[in-house]
Amino acid sequence: MNAALSLSDILVRPDVWRGRLAGAEVPALSSGFAALDAELPGGGWPRGALSELLADEAGVGECSLLLPVLNAMRDEGRWTVLIAPPHGLHAPAWVAGGADCAHLAVVAPESRRDLLWAAEQALASGAAGAVVCWAKQADPAQVRRLQVAVAGSDTLAFVFRPQRVRPEASAAPLRLALSAGREGKLGVEVLKRRGPPCTRTLYLDVPRPLAWRDDHDASLARPASAAAAARGPRPLAVA
Amino acid sequence: MIGDEVAWRAGVERGIGVAAARALSPGIALLARDVQREEMAMRTLACWAGSLAPRVVVTPDTLLLEIGSCLRLFGGLEKLREAALAGIGAQGFCVWPAVTPTPLGAEWLACLHTDACCSDTESTRVQLDALSVDVLPDKAATALVRFGARTLGEARRLPSSALARRIGAESLQLLARAYGECPDPRPEFVFPERFALPLQLPAAVENAAALLFAARRLTAALAGWLTARQAGVREAVLRLQHRRDETPVPLQFADLTADGARFERVLRERLDRLTLAAPVEALCLEATQIGPLPGCNRSLFDADQGVKEGIGALLERLTARLGDERVYRVTPHADHRPECATRRLRLFEKTASGTVPALPRPLWLLDPPEPLREVDGRPHRKGPLQLLAGPERIESGWWDSGERVGDVRRDYFIALAEDAAWLWIYRECRAGGWFLQGYFS
């Protein structure tokens, strides 16, 4: 046997089957984060399949994770539909993040029934490029309906659900749990994906309003007086 | 007497008496002929037919469509005939169809319920030959029967000079027209300038959803009328007429459209949400905003066209069911006060290009801002907050002190909570106190 044979030589042999590539033919859109793309089947967010994002606390960068998707939709000239966002949209920030406000529709249904109806319609029509839905109270059967609705289209579908549904089974082919990571990063656990399970937690550099500094530490929260902070060394601006 | 299909199968035919009809079909419901409503229905159908045929002719008893020139568009005679019958059936009408190369031939064959479908003169001749002479004017028919000719075929076998003498030149002319031996020009149905069609309901309706079926006749007619005029509609109103007043149901579309299925979908969502104040006795559909619908070139492989249409239809459906104010777009607005920096737009309003802030701004904004506790001069939210950047003084709005937001004077900070959430908080400069206004999600 040739001692110089390297691993990469073996891997290109046609009779070597790699589990990691099992889902490579899934049509996907790069998430904009290389570390995440490497773990997602097809190298990005799946098109025509539901991606479930479990997140509890607002403000850890859970929406910034999707900003590259909105950027891509702007480039493709397709619509993004946000269904039942948890708070009001601050348009300047979305524009700064790269969203195209001309093709961003917000749907604010009154009831849970209307929410699921709207989500199903948006996913089933296949007309929107991306659909993001905040379904706090959806049960597994309803998530399955959403997955069935989106199957076969090329829509990117995201549904935000709380962390407490983590033990429940879900019909979504991709499930991620989002939480605050160290140093202002977003911690992403891949709970479920097509292909072999992913065991490590990823830490993504989602856009944050400030670069991380060593003295930023939420858990320490040093007892400096607010007045001192208000006099702080870096006043941003006065409007 | 004219019967529907069921009655006809029971043997209730043209010309029989009331007593005979009751004897043949004991459960028969006899209705007096309402010429005015009949005319209205014919007009509605004629409008609808605009989606199938370029030329439409209305006669008192029949609706004639010239389909010779559009067979290819619909993929053949059989398909066009099926489409026509399905369209009429969906509107709740019962028709006796006949297809022949001549309009009069089709008229006669349809009136006698032959269900003929002939595309050439030869088969038309065979069909017509078998028709009873009753289709001719009464006098001529009587004369022919006396002469021993009971069918048109027998009549035409008579020497033509003798035939002319017996039935008159006029009837002879009719025969020639039916057989395609001489031209038969007809005045075309003129599609009205404005579309406003009323529909009298047979009985007062109290359930909004039940109106959908009746309204289908009107939406189908609107689609046909639009096709004939090569126009699309952006706004239409369905007026539900009660005994004294009326309820307008506005139908709005994202873009110009002439698609009957889309009208129906939007209408269904509107009617589902509607509770009627009083029974509805009549409907009236009016197209309030129309525009020319340009034909578009579609490339052979590009599917983009369909996609663009799709989003309009989707958003319309959402708007129709959830309400105009629940489906919207947002755009930045030049105002320093965060509450005023976002403007809600209707879906297809034009967007002015907004300004992008130089400073970091949160994606989510709380409305109203959440008051925070202050402990030892520090803002607290599930623990003390660490202020990372600030203050950014925002002082603006002195001109609209009467408004909801009004004159503000605040120092904004970017804060980090103990659970590592990035928050946008401010301190009220005048009254004091800390507030959480946004999440850097």
Side-chain angles (χ1 to χ4, degrees), chain B residues 169-230:
Chain B
E170 212 173 292
S171 298
L172 198 61
Q173 179 83 5
L174 283 179
L175 272 178
R177 281 183 182 169
Y179 280 84
E181 285 155 1
C182 77
D184 187 5
R186 303 284 186 116
E188 278 176 37
F189 173 73
V190 183
F191 290 92
E193 266 315 294
R194 269 180 72 251
F195 185 91
L197 265 188
L199 175 67
Q200 192 72 38
L201 298 176
V205 173
E206 294 183 27
N207 178 1
L211 288 173
L212 186 67
F213 180 76
R216 195 176 284 162
R217 287 187 186 180
L218 296 176
T219 53
L222 175 59
W225 179 78
L226 288 168
T227 314
R229 295 182 63 94
Q230 302 196 342

Side-chain angles (χ1 to χ4, degrees), chain B residues 11 35 61 67 94 151 188 204 231 233 258 282 419 425 428:
Chain B
V35 180
D61 293 328
I67 54 172
C94 161
T151 64
E188 278 176 37
V233 68
D419 57 4
I425 64 171
E428 193 66 67

Side-chain angles (χ1 to χ4, degrees), chain B residues 42-57 63-66 70 73-74 80 91 189 191 220-230 258:
Chain B
M42 275 305 215
R43 281 176 67 81
T44 312
L45 271 179
C47 280
W48 160 80
S51 59
L52 289 175
R55 275 176 288 279
V56 179
V57 177
L63 184 69
L64 299 170
L65 312 185
E66 190 273 303
C70 57
L73 177 66
F74 288 92
L80 177 54
Q91 298 176 55
F189 173 73
F191 290 92
L222 175 59
W225 179 78
L226 288 168
T227 314
R229 295 182 63 94
Q230 302 196 342

Side-chain angles (χ1 to χ4, degrees), chain A residues 117, chain B residues 212 219 234-236 238 249-254 257 259-273 312-322 324:
Chain A
W117 174 82
Chain B
L212 186 67
T219 53
R234 189 172 282 122
E235 240 178 65
L238 180 71
V249 179
L251 309 173
Q252 277 144 351
F253 303 97
T257 176
D259 182 359
R262 230 166 118 180
F263 301 153
E264 217 182 298
R265 269 201 311 264
V266 171
L267 189 63
R268 178 189 314 250
E269 300 297 349
R270 286 272 177 213
L271 289 179
D272 275 354
R273 291 198 308 151
L314 165 69
L315 295 174
E316 248 161 52
R317 210 157 55 235
L318 294 177
T319 315
R321 161 129 172 206
L322 306 175
D324 290 331

Side-chain angles (χ1 to χ4, degrees), chain A residues 98-180:
Chain A
D100 175 10
C101 277
H103 295 110
L104 181 74
V106 184
V107 181
E110 250 172 321
S111 65
R112 185 163 65 131
R113 216 177 111 241
D114 281 351
L115 187 161
L116 291 164
W117 174 82
E120 196 178 4
Q121 294 288 320
L123 293 174
S125 91
V131 176
V132 188
C133 172
W134 282 263
K136 232 185 236 170
Q137 296 170 344
D139 60 39
Q142 289 160 341
V143 172
R144 176 175 297 280
R145 272 190 77 147
L146 297 185
Q147 162 63 20
V148 169
V150 74
S153 70
D154 71 338
T155 303
L156 292 152
F158 301 95
V159 57
F160 276 100
R161 300 180 72 199
Q163 296 269 15
R164 65 174 160 77
V165 301
R166 199 170 160 142
E168 286 175 13
S170 165
L174 180 67
R175 288 186 103 192
L176 307 180
L178 312 179
S179 56

